[in-house]
Amino acid sequence: LRPRSAGHCSGAAGGSMEGVPLRVLADAQLSCELDLDHLCTVVLVNCELSRTPKAALVVQLRRARATVKVRQSGELNLAGLCTPTEARIALKKIAYRVAVAGYPVEFRKFKVRSVRWTSPYRPNYPIDIIRLGQHPLAEIRQTSTSQPLRVLIDCIARDASAAARAARAAAAGS
């Protein structure tokens, strides 16, 4: 099995990310409680349900090369080698299958928790890591001097982007 690549992504200054597979973690919420036993036996395929009381239904997705955990509360967690767009589509497909089975579900609160390259990415343009670390949402991590310096920038939702701009403007004004 070859990992799926993120061929449509590209770097900001022209560096191509062609062939760099992504590891995506994404979450969504369905609007109702679910009967996991019914979903596992009747509705979904390629799934397994442990018999422990608070176990999640684990669904293996072939096309998205991902695993989705479905909880009784309606929470969906996806982890796999796909793009964020493919992750959203995969979770919406799960929600659709649940809705067809008669559950009154609505797809809510989709959130991409993290996107990581599965192999090192070396862009063909310079990156000023100090300037990148000064971003208001950046978090700098280095566990030891032998470890590489990592700059993590949280993805912000479209609704939160206006609030983040207002916060930056207020910080710059004071």
Side-chain angles (χ1 to χ4, degrees), residues 7-47:
H8 69 280
C9 297
S10 63
S16 174
M17 291 178 52
E18 190 75 34
V20 180
L22 300 174
R23 174 92 174 139
V24 174
L25 299 177
D27 299 328
Q29 182 69 37
L30 301 180
S31 59
C32 69
E33 293 280 320
L34 303 172
D35 179 5
L36 299 182
D37 192 43
H38 176 254
L39 291 178
C40 186
T41 56
V42 178
V43 179
L44 300 170
V45 295
N46 290 340
C47 61

Side-chain angles (χ1 to χ4, degrees), residues 29-121:
Q29 182 69 37
L30 301 180
S31 59
C32 69
E33 293 280 320
L34 303 172
D35 179 5
L36 299 182
D37 192 43
H38 176 254
L39 291 178
C40 186
T41 56
V42 178
V43 179
L44 300 170
V45 295
N46 290 340
C47 61
E48 59 186 51
L49 179 61
S50 177
R51 293 294 169 197
T52 57
K54 296 208 176 202
L57 174 65
V58 179
V59 182
Q60 298 288 331
L61 302 176
R62 287 175 281 181
R63 189 167 286 161
R65 291 206 175 109
T67 302
V68 176
K69 288 186 180 178
V70 181
R71 304 203 188 282
Q72 187 175 0
S73 63
E75 182 182 345
L76 304 175
N77 306 107
L78 179 137
L81 294 174
C82 59
T83 65
T85 304
E86 290 169 338
R88 180 179 173 86
I89 290 169
L91 290 176
K92 284 194 107 159
K93 283 182 182 179
I94 296 280
Y96 175 76
R97 296 286 305 261
V98 171
V100 167
Y103 292 88
V105 299
E106 291 179 21
F107 187 76
R108 297 180 177 169
K109 300 180 183 177
F110 175 78
K111 179 182 178 184
V112 175
R113 282 190 293 153
S114 76
V115 178
R116 299 182 79 185
W117 291 293
T118 58
S119 58
Y121 174 61

Side-chain angles (χ1 to χ4, degrees), residues 138-155:
E139 175 186 342
I140 299 174
R141 286 190 193 162
Q142 186 173 24
T143 54
S144 70
T145 55
S146 63
Q147 294 287 325
L149 181 67
R150 297 177 188 264
V151 177
L152 305 169
I153 299 179
D154 284 336
C155 298

